Amino acid sequence: MSLIVQKYGGSSVSSVEKIEHIAKRISKIKNEGNDLVIVVSAMGDTTDKLLELAFKLNPDPPKRERDMLLSSGETISSSLLSIALHSIGEEAIAFNGAQGGIITSEVYTKARIQKIEIKNILKELKRGMIVVVAGFQGITLHNNITTLGRGGSDTTAVALAAALKADLCEIYTDVEGIYTADPRIVPEARKLKHISYEDTLELASLGAKVIHLRAIELAKKYKITLHIRSSFTEKEGTIIA
Ligand code: ASP
Ligand code: MG
């Protein structure tokens, strides 16, 4: 039996059908005897849409209030995924970042995770629950909701994998792994089987949107092996180690 942290990006939860699809996938892995902590992003382009609304109301929306607003996108995904899991007979519980024990600095819109109080998650895993945590967010010691910067759900997943000493951390996205170039632009781009933390950091700092920079830094620091793969196929993706 393994403890697996899986993160599903916005494109993997962008519709009811896709949420149903990943719920089935999660159920299968759970029934193979694994403990699962799932981290989700907001549905599709929800985060952009929410920001747009804020900027319509105010050319400079206060950052604290922006974080309150944006965190709701991931909270919606976690609740809907848990609801979908229940409908296929699984026991699941949705947590927002605060309930998941994610404590951050007070720097709104780009907070850093300072520690994770894992007792709530552990208690639910022990009861056999699939724990579904809203990515990209946390809470400060003064009870304010923060977000971790755009793309920050990856960082939530890696930080949870480190804190829980997970056996595996899978990052599900809409591409099948990391490529030598952007496969949507360069047709002869090859998928890499393995890549080092250092090379991934370089790709990310050059602007490749493979994975959140901070997530790779954390993975490197805590020696977490990451598997970047697609939620739409069973194919192996890219291992970052
Ligand atoms: N929903 C947030 C964003 O679009 C966080 C994430 O997707 O990881 O940036
Ligand atoms: Mg997103």
PDB file of all heavy atoms in Angstrom, residues 150-174:
ATOM      1  N   ARG A 150       0.383  32.363  -9.354  1.00  0.00           N
ATOM      2  CA  ARG A 150      -0.253  31.629 -10.445  1.00  0.00           C
ATOM      3  C   ARG A 150       0.446  30.293 -10.669  1.00  0.00           C
ATOM      4  O   ARG A 150       1.667  30.219 -10.646  1.00  0.00           O
ATOM      5  CB  ARG A 150      -0.243  32.464 -11.739  1.00  0.00           C
ATOM      6  CG  ARG A 150      -1.021  33.777 -11.667  1.00  0.00           C
ATOM      7  CD  ARG A 150      -2.495  33.596 -11.296  1.00  0.00           C
ATOM      8  NE  ARG A 150      -3.245  32.688 -12.126  1.00  0.00           N
ATOM      9  CZ  ARG A 150      -3.966  33.058 -13.185  1.00  0.00           C
ATOM     10  NH1 ARG A 150      -4.019  34.321 -13.550  1.00  0.00           N
ATOM     11  NH2 ARG A 150      -4.638  32.167 -13.874  1.00  0.00           N
ATOM     12  N   GLY A 151      -0.346  29.249 -10.858  1.00  0.00           N
ATOM     13  CA  GLY A 151       0.220  27.910 -11.029  1.00  0.00           C
ATOM     14  C   GLY A 151       0.571  27.228  -9.715  1.00  0.00           C
ATOM     15  O   GLY A 151       1.154  26.144  -9.695  1.00  0.00           O
ATOM     16  N   GLY A 152       0.182  27.848  -8.605  1.00  0.00           N
ATOM     17  CA  GLY A 152       0.645  27.396  -7.288  1.00  0.00           C
ATOM     18  C   GLY A 152       0.101  26.064  -6.792  1.00  0.00           C
ATOM     19  O   GLY A 152       0.584  25.539  -5.786  1.00  0.00           O
ATOM     20  N   SER A 153      -0.871  25.481  -7.478  1.00  0.00           N
ATOM     21  CA  SER A 153      -1.381  24.178  -7.006  1.00  0.00           C
ATOM     22  C   SER A 153      -0.308  23.093  -7.069  1.00  0.00           C
ATOM     23  O   SER A 153      -0.322  22.159  -6.258  1.00  0.00           O
ATOM     24  CB  SER A 153      -2.585  23.739  -7.832  1.00  0.00           C
ATOM     25  OG  SER A 153      -3.618  24.671  -7.715  1.00  0.00           O
ATOM     26  N   ASP A 154       0.606  23.212  -8.021  1.00  0.00           N
ATOM     27  CA  ASP A 154       1.721  22.252  -8.075  1.00  0.00           C
ATOM     28  C   ASP A 154       2.497  22.285  -6.754  1.00  0.00           C
ATOM     29  O   ASP A 154       2.905  21.251  -6.227  1.00  0.00           O
ATOM     30  CB  ASP A 154       2.711  22.629  -9.191  1.00  0.00           C
ATOM     31  CG  ASP A 154       2.147  22.447 -10.580  1.00  0.00           C
ATOM     32  OD1 ASP A 154       1.238  21.608 -10.750  1.00  0.00           O
ATOM     33  OD2 ASP A 154       2.625  23.131 -11.500  1.00  0.00           O
ATOM     34  N   THR A 155       2.703  23.507  -6.273  1.00  0.00           N
ATOM     35  CA  THR A 155       3.473  23.671  -5.041  1.00  0.00           C
ATOM     36  C   THR A 155       2.726  23.071  -3.848  1.00  0.00           C
ATOM     37  O   THR A 155       3.329  22.424  -2.989  1.00  0.00           O
ATOM     38  CB  THR A 155       3.783  25.172  -4.830  1.00  0.00           C
ATOM     39  OG1 THR A 155       4.601  25.588  -5.929  1.00  0.00           O
ATOM     40  CG2 THR A 155       4.506  25.419  -3.541  1.00  0.00           C
ATOM     41  N   THR A 156       1.408  23.249  -3.821  1.00  0.00           N
ATOM     42  CA  THR A 156       0.615  22.614  -2.762  1.00  0.00           C
ATOM     43  C   THR A 156       0.850  21.103  -2.774  1.00  0.00           C
ATOM     44  O   THR A 156       1.072  20.482  -1.732  1.00  0.00           O
ATOM     45  CB  THR A 156      -0.901  22.874  -2.974  1.00  0.00           C
ATOM     46  OG1 THR A 156      -1.124  24.271  -3.057  1.00  0.00           O
ATOM     47  CG2 THR A 156      -1.722  22.268  -1.844  1.00  0.00           C
ATOM     48  N   ALA A 157       0.813  20.514  -3.968  1.00  0.00           N
ATOM     49  CA  ALA A 157       0.951  19.054  -4.082  1.00  0.00           C
ATOM     50  C   ALA A 157       2.322  18.588  -3.600  1.00  0.00           C
ATOM     51  O   ALA A 157       2.429  17.624  -2.827  1.00  0.00           O
ATOM     52  CB  ALA A 157       0.717  18.617  -5.528  1.00  0.00           C
ATOM     53  N   VAL A 158       3.362  19.274  -4.025  1.00  0.00           N
ATOM     54  CA  VAL A 158       4.712  18.832  -3.652  1.00  0.00           C
ATOM     55  C   VAL A 158       4.937  19.048  -2.148  1.00  0.00           C
ATOM     56  O   VAL A 158       5.523  18.194  -1.473  1.00  0.00           O
ATOM     57  CB  VAL A 158       5.779  19.565  -4.495  1.00  0.00           C
ATOM     58  CG1 VAL A 158       7.171  19.181  -4.037  1.00  0.00           C
ATOM     59  CG2 VAL A 158       5.607  19.231  -5.975  1.00  0.00           C
ATOM     60  N   ALA A 159       4.439  20.163  -1.631  1.00  0.00           N
ATOM     61  CA  ALA A 159       4.606  20.426  -0.192  1.00  0.00           C
ATOM     62  C   ALA A 159       3.862  19.374   0.633  1.00  0.00           C
ATOM     63  O   ALA A 159       4.379  18.885   1.650  1.00  0.00           O
ATOM     64  CB  ALA A 159       4.103  21.831   0.145  1.00  0.00           C
ATOM     65  N   LEU A 160       2.671  18.986   0.176  1.00  0.00           N
ATOM     66  CA  LEU A 160       1.930  17.937   0.892  1.00  0.00           C
ATOM     67  C   LEU A 160       2.662  16.606   0.791  1.00  0.00           C
ATOM     68  O   LEU A 160       2.748  15.862   1.776  1.00  0.00           O
ATOM     69  CB  LEU A 160       0.506  17.805   0.334  1.00  0.00           C
ATOM     70  CG  LEU A 160      -0.505  18.838   0.842  1.00  0.00           C
ATOM     71  CD1 LEU A 160      -1.811  18.722   0.067  1.00  0.00           C
ATOM     72  CD2 LEU A 160      -0.774  18.650   2.339  1.00  0.00           C
ATOM     73  N   ALA A 161       3.190  16.305  -0.388  1.00  0.00           N
ATOM     74  CA  ALA A 161       3.927  15.038  -0.557  1.00  0.00           C
ATOM     75  C   ALA A 161       5.113  15.001   0.399  1.00  0.00           C
ATOM     76  O   ALA A 161       5.394  13.960   1.022  1.00  0.00           O
ATOM     77  CB  ALA A 161       4.391  14.880  -2.004  1.00  0.00           C
ATOM     78  N   ALA A 162       5.795  16.138   0.559  1.00  0.00           N
ATOM     79  CA  ALA A 162       6.948  16.187   1.468  1.00  0.00           C
ATOM     80  C   ALA A 162       6.488  16.021   2.917  1.00  0.00           C
ATOM     81  O   ALA A 162       7.036  15.203   3.675  1.00  0.00           O
ATOM     82  CB  ALA A 162       7.696  17.504   1.289  1.00  0.00           C
ATOM     83  N   ALA A 163       5.455  16.772   3.299  1.00  0.00           N
ATOM     84  CA  ALA A 163       5.007  16.744   4.701  1.00  0.00           C
ATOM     85  C   ALA A 163       4.464  15.365   5.087  1.00  0.00           C
ATOM     86  O   ALA A 163       4.665  14.903   6.208  1.00  0.00           O
ATOM     87  CB  ALA A 163       3.939  17.817   4.920  1.00  0.00           C
ATOM     88  N   LEU A 164       3.780  14.716   4.144  1.00  0.00           N
ATOM     89  CA  LEU A 164       3.157  13.412   4.436  1.00  0.00           C
ATOM     90  C   LEU A 164       4.108  12.248   4.157  1.00  0.00           C
ATOM     91  O   LEU A 164       3.746  11.097   4.338  1.00  0.00           O
ATOM     92  CB  LEU A 164       1.893  13.238   3.581  1.00  0.00           C
ATOM     93  CG  LEU A 164       0.745  14.206   3.859  1.00  0.00           C
ATOM     94  CD1 LEU A 164      -0.248  14.217   2.694  1.00  0.00           C
ATOM     95  CD2 LEU A 164       0.032  13.825   5.162  1.00  0.00           C
ATOM     96  N   LYS A 165       5.307  12.563   3.668  1.00  0.00           N
ATOM     97  CA  LYS A 165       6.275  11.540   3.244  1.00  0.00           C
ATOM     98  C   LYS A 165       5.622  10.556   2.274  1.00  0.00           C
ATOM     99  O   LYS A 165       5.686   9.337   2.442  1.00  0.00           O
ATOM    100  CB  LYS A 165       6.859  10.805   4.453  1.00  0.00           C
ATOM    101  CG  LYS A 165       7.563  11.751   5.416  1.00  0.00           C
ATOM    102  CD  LYS A 165       8.409  10.977   6.430  1.00  0.00           C
ATOM    103  CE  LYS A 165       9.326  11.878   7.218  1.00  0.00           C
ATOM    104  NZ  LYS A 165       8.661  13.009   7.894  1.00  0.00           N
ATOM    105  N   ALA A 166       4.984  11.100   1.272  1.00  0.00           N
ATOM    106  CA  ALA A 166       4.267  10.280   0.287  1.00  0.00           C
ATOM    107  C   ALA A 166       5.248   9.423  -0.508  1.00  0.00           C
ATOM    108  O   ALA A 166       6.410   9.788  -0.682  1.00  0.00           O
ATOM    109  CB  ALA A 166       3.467  11.181  -0.649  1.00  0.00           C
ATOM    110  N   ASP A 167       4.771   8.293  -1.015  1.00  0.00           N
ATOM    111  CA  ASP A 167       5.611   7.428  -1.833  1.00  0.00           C
ATOM    112  C   ASP A 167       5.741   7.949  -3.255  1.00  0.00           C
ATOM    113  O   ASP A 167       6.683   7.614  -3.969  1.00  0.00           O
ATOM    114  CB  ASP A 167       5.006   6.016  -1.868  1.00  0.00           C
ATOM    115  CG  ASP A 167       4.903   5.442  -0.465  1.00  0.00           C
ATOM    116  OD1 ASP A 167       5.954   5.160   0.126  1.00  0.00           O
ATOM    117  OD2 ASP A 167       3.768   5.334   0.060  1.00  0.00           O
ATOM    118  N   LEU A 168       4.749   8.721  -3.681  1.00  0.00           N
ATOM    119  CA  LEU A 168       4.709   9.149  -5.082  1.00  0.00           C
ATOM    120  C   LEU A 168       3.942  10.462  -5.175  1.00  0.00           C
ATOM    121  O   LEU A 168       2.966  10.661  -4.452  1.00  0.00           O
ATOM    122  CB  LEU A 168       3.995   8.057  -5.891  1.00  0.00           C
ATOM    123  CG  LEU A 168       3.884   8.216  -7.394  1.00  0.00           C
ATOM    124  CD1 LEU A 168       5.263   8.237  -8.039  1.00  0.00           C
ATOM    125  CD2 LEU A 168       3.063   7.050  -7.978  1.00  0.00           C
ATOM    126  N   CYS A 169       4.385  11.335  -6.070  1.00  0.00           N
ATOM    127  CA  CYS A 169       3.646  12.586  -6.331  1.00  0.00           C
ATOM    128  C   CYS A 169       3.437  12.701  -7.832  1.00  0.00           C
ATOM    129  O   CYS A 169       4.397  12.826  -8.596  1.00  0.00           O
ATOM    130  CB  CYS A 169       4.421  13.781  -5.787  1.00  0.00           C
ATOM    131  SG  CYS A 169       3.549  15.353  -6.005  1.00  0.00           S
ATOM    132  N   GLU A 170       2.183  12.592  -8.255  1.00  0.00           N
ATOM    133  CA  GLU A 170       1.858  12.656  -9.685  1.00  0.00           C
ATOM    134  C   GLU A 170       1.205  13.991 -10.002  1.00  0.00           C
ATOM    135  O   GLU A 170       0.285  14.415  -9.308  1.00  0.00           O
ATOM    136  CB  GLU A 170       0.870  11.539 -10.053  1.00  0.00           C
ATOM    137  CG  GLU A 170       1.436  10.145  -9.879  1.00  0.00           C
ATOM    138  CD  GLU A 170       0.432   9.077 -10.279  1.00  0.00           C
ATOM    139  OE1 GLU A 170      -0.738   9.156  -9.850  1.00  0.00           O
ATOM    140  OE2 GLU A 170       0.823   8.166 -11.026  1.00  0.00           O
ATOM    141  N   ILE A 171       1.690  14.622 -11.061  1.00  0.00           N
ATOM    142  CA  ILE A 171       1.140  15.915 -11.491  1.00  0.00           C
ATOM    143  C   ILE A 171       0.439  15.686 -12.829  1.00  0.00           C
ATOM    144  O   ILE A 171       1.094  15.421 -13.836  1.00  0.00           O
ATOM    145  CB  ILE A 171       2.266  16.965 -11.670  1.00  0.00           C
ATOM    146  CG1 ILE A 171       3.164  17.059 -10.424  1.00  0.00           C
ATOM    147  CG2 ILE A 171       1.691  18.314 -12.092  1.00  0.00           C
ATOM    148  CD1 ILE A 171       2.618  17.864  -9.279  1.00  0.00           C
ATOM    149  N   TYR A 172      -0.892  15.744 -12.822  1.00  0.00           N
ATOM    150  CA  TYR A 172      -1.655  15.498 -14.048  1.00  0.00           C
ATOM    151  C   TYR A 172      -1.917  16.807 -14.766  1.00  0.00           C
ATOM    152  O   TYR A 172      -2.347  17.787 -14.158  1.00  0.00           O
ATOM    153  CB  TYR A 172      -2.993  14.825 -13.721  1.00  0.00           C
ATOM    154  CG  TYR A 172      -2.830  13.370 -13.372  1.00  0.00           C
ATOM    155  CD1 TYR A 172      -2.622  12.961 -12.061  1.00  0.00           C
ATOM    156  CD2 TYR A 172      -2.859  12.406 -14.367  1.00  0.00           C
ATOM    157  CE1 TYR A 172      -2.455  11.619 -11.745  1.00  0.00           C
ATOM    158  CE2 TYR A 172      -2.703  11.059 -14.071  1.00  0.00           C
ATOM    159  CZ  TYR A 172      -2.502  10.678 -12.756  1.00  0.00           C
ATOM    160  OH  TYR A 172      -2.342   9.358 -12.451  1.00  0.00           O
ATOM    161  N   THR A 173      -1.663  16.787 -16.085  1.00  0.00           N
ATOM    162  CA  THR A 173      -1.829  18.008 -16.865  1.00  0.00           C
ATOM    163  C   THR A 173      -2.426  17.645 -18.216  1.00  0.00           C
ATOM    164  O   THR A 173      -2.858  16.507 -18.423  1.00  0.00           O
ATOM    165  CB  THR A 173      -0.454  18.736 -16.953  1.00  0.00           C
ATOM    166  OG1 THR A 173      -0.535  19.733 -17.949  1.00  0.00           O
ATOM    167  CG2 THR A 173       0.679  17.801 -17.303  1.00  0.00           C
ATOM    168  N   ASP A 174      -2.481  18.608 -19.142  1.00  0.00           N
ATOM    169  CA  ASP A 174      -3.106  18.305 -20.432  1.00  0.00           C
ATOM    170  C   ASP A 174      -2.086  17.888 -21.484  1.00  0.00           C
ATOM    171  O   ASP A 174      -2.438  17.626 -22.618  1.00  0.00           O
ATOM    172  CB  ASP A 174      -3.974  19.478 -20.935  1.00  0.00           C
ATOM    173  CG  ASP A 174      -3.186  20.773 -21.043  1.00  0.00           C
ATOM    174  OD1 ASP A 174      -2.050  20.818 -20.524  1.00  0.00           O
ATOM    175  OD2 ASP A 174      -3.700  21.737 -21.623  1.00  0.00           O
TER     176      ASP A 174
END
